[in-house]
Amino acid sequence: MNAERSLPRTLAAATLLLFGCVETQPLPEPPKIGPVLEKLGLDRYDAIEPASVTWDRDWELLRFDPAGPARCLDGSPFVVSVRKGDPDKLLLYLEGGGACWDFESCHGSTPLAKRTSEPIPRWMEDKPFFAARSDQGGFREYTVAFASYCDGSVWSGDGEPVYGGIQTWHRGMANTSAAVHALASRFPDASRVVVAGSSAGGYGTMMGYLVARHRFPDADMAVWNDSGPWLFNPKKETMQAAIMDEWKLRSILPEDCEKCDEQLIYLADYVLARDRKLRIGLFSYEYDLTLSVGYLGLGGAYLDLLRETTDAIHKKHPERFRRVFLPGSEHTIAFTDEYTVVQENGQTMAEWVQALADASAEWIDQPGGEPASE
């Protein structure tokens, strides 16, 4: 036998002797994300076309027929605004606006969710998130799809419940798909796709990622979640069950994502393990009152749960999952003055988001206080 060929076998035998003759097997590679998406059936809303297309300055306004799959929770038309820029760089922005899961939260005296969809507000399009120079953290050069929220199911539902005799449409999955199709049908060869959203739109960024990855299988992809950290209050089991049932949320959760029913944030861990061309950035104020008290009812335990869950994910994916948690009780940052304020680490939130999109060295993990060592 050739001596060079026998050397690896000799070393392997010595290793087995050294470790008590315990033979180890290589860990299996996790499946790629493509088969997961196919199994979820995301192609059922692949080609939702608008009923009408009009223009307002630089924005193409797409309105969808409410008789079709994409519609608002009250049955009114869903609207997407598209601004053409670089066809190779796309931004899908998912607007926020609350959530609802029963008669009181959807149709009661004080509904908790935005129920009508409109073109992008002029005040919003002029904010730095969209309008700033690219070196300041904006997306001026990107092609942008602004999806106006109105489904009550944080862009993720696929149900048509009747609450107190009122027909309700939680068609977030179809609405998200319609917005992604608006980009994919016009710019199918884009090499970079950013999915961003605030509040309910932040919660919706995971569905936005799933649909966008389905339509752009080879693109470099980044997700920015602004104040919608995919958390449930574990003590509000009735609310969580209603959300899962009425929104048909389990239809978008992979069957083998064992912890997804526990906390939706673990879906981020699941997809990061299967998609090496994905980066996820998460922002929250440490004492966000809208989330910690209003929606989740966690109070001071909000920050504890946020850090516990995100620490576990960052530890597993330190180069592709990073956070910024800032002191304060405000809710969302994308369209506030704080977005361009220099923080303690010498960086603005705008610069951090741009670094996430560009996969640059300036994208750092900052879970409160000084930046954590990588």
Side-chain angles (χ1 to χ4, degrees):
M1 180 182 292
N2 186 294
E4 292 183 357
R5 291 185 179 179
S6 67
L7 182 58
R9 296 184 180 180
T10 302
L11 291 175
T15 302
L16 289 174
L17 288 172
L18 179 62
F19 290 99
C21 297
V22 176
E23 185 175 357
T24 60
Q25 297 294 331
L27 293 174
E29 282 291 320
K32 302 298 182 185
I33 196 64
V36 174
L37 302 180
E38 183 177 355
K39 191 172 182 179
L40 290 176
L42 297 178
D43 58 348
R44 63 186 179 271
Y45 296 129
D46 265 358
I48 305 176
E49 298 291 348
S52 68
V53 178
T54 57
W55 287 85
D56 183 6
R57 292 161 293 122
D58 296 335
W59 293 88
E60 189 179 7
L61 308 182
L62 284 62
R63 290 179 171 84
F64 294 84
D65 186 348
R71 63 178 77 180
C72 295
L73 69 85
D74 63 356
S76 59
F78 170 59
V79 182
V80 176
S81 305
V82 177
R83 184 187 70 192
K84 185 177 180 181
D86 188 337
D88 197 45
K89 297 178 180 179
L90 311 181
L91 168 67
L92 170 65
Y93 179 78
L94 302 175
E95 185 188 26
C100 67
W101 50 88
D102 56 21
F103 173 81
E104 187 60 34
S105 59
C106 288
H107 306 293
S109 58
T110 55
L112 300 182
K114 183 173 178 285
R115 57 196 301 119
T116 57
S117 186
E118 309 88 11
I120 181 172
R122 187 164 296 189
W123 71 266
M124 190 175 283
E125 67 176 279
D126 291 333
K127 287 291 185 177
F129 182 77
F130 288 134
R133 298 194 315 270
S134 60
D135 62 350
Q136 293 179 330
F139 290 93
R140 176 178 291 278
E141 79 276 19
Y142 278 60
T143 290
V144 175
F146 174 88
S148 177
Y149 181 61
C150 68
D151 59 81
S153 62
V154 301
W155 298 100
S156 305
D158 199 28
E160 300 181 1
V162 176
Y163 297 136
I166 301 177
Q167 180 66 63
T168 308
W169 288 274
H170 290 309
R171 303 316 304 272
M173 182 178 178
N175 292 0
T176 302
S177 298
V180 171
H181 180 66
L183 292 173
S185 61
R186 291 162 172 76
F187 312 101
D189 301 318
S191 66
R192 177 182 296 175
V193 178
V194 178
V195 178
S198 301
S199 191
Y203 271 89
T205 52
M206 191 51 62
M207 170 52 75
Y209 155 74
L210 292 172
V211 176
R213 174 54 81 206
H214 164 63
R215 298 300 299 273
F216 297 95
D218 300 317
D220 176 79
M221 195 162 291
V223 169
W224 182 49
N225 181 336
D226 171 17
S227 305
W230 308 304
L231 294 176
F232 286 128
N233 183 338
K235 295 182 179 180
K236 287 190 173 185
E237 296 178 357
T238 302
M239 172 183 164
Q240 183 173 341
I243 286 173
M244 286 290 183
D245 293 341
E246 305 299 352
W247 297 357
K248 308 299 183 190
L249 195 55
R250 287 185 179 86
S251 68
I252 69 161
L253 300 178
E255 292 180 358
D256 58 338
C257 183
E258 298 176 356
K259 300 182 71 174
C260 284
D261 273 359
E262 175 187 335
Q263 292 290 349
L264 284 176
I265 197 168
Y266 291 120
L267 183 56
D269 174 35
Y270 179 92
V271 296
L272 283 165
R274 290 158 175 79
D275 189 346
R276 300 297 177 182
K277 299 180 76 173
L278 170 66
R279 297 176 301 283
I280 297 178
L282 175 64
F283 168 81
S284 179
Y285 286 104
E286 293 178 340
Y287 304 101
D288 183 324
L289 288 177
T290 299
L291 289 176
S292 66
V293 177
Y295 173 56
L296 295 172
L298 285 164
Y302 168 72
L303 183 58
D304 294 335
L305 181 61
L306 185 65
R307 286 209 167 117
E308 175 189 344
T309 53
T310 62
D311 281 351
I313 299 172
H314 176 69
K315 185 176 180 180
K316 292 175 66 174
H317 312 282
E319 301 302 320
R320 295 185 296 118
F321 180 85
R322 295 176 179 176
R323 310 148 289 173
V324 172
F325 300 152
L326 294 181
S329 58
E330 299 89 344
H331 181 58
T332 80
I333 195 172
F335 297 99
T336 70
D337 293 339
E338 193 74 11
Y339 188 68
T340 53
V341 171
V342 177
Q343 304 299 331
E344 291 183 3
N345 69 332
Q347 187 181 48
T348 67
M349 195 66 223
E351 291 168 337
W352 191 88
V353 172
Q354 192 66 47
L356 161 64
D358 294 342
S360 81
E362 300 302 312
W363 186 47
I364 60 174
D365 187 55
Q366 190 183 352
E370 294 298 316
S373 58
E374 295 296 330

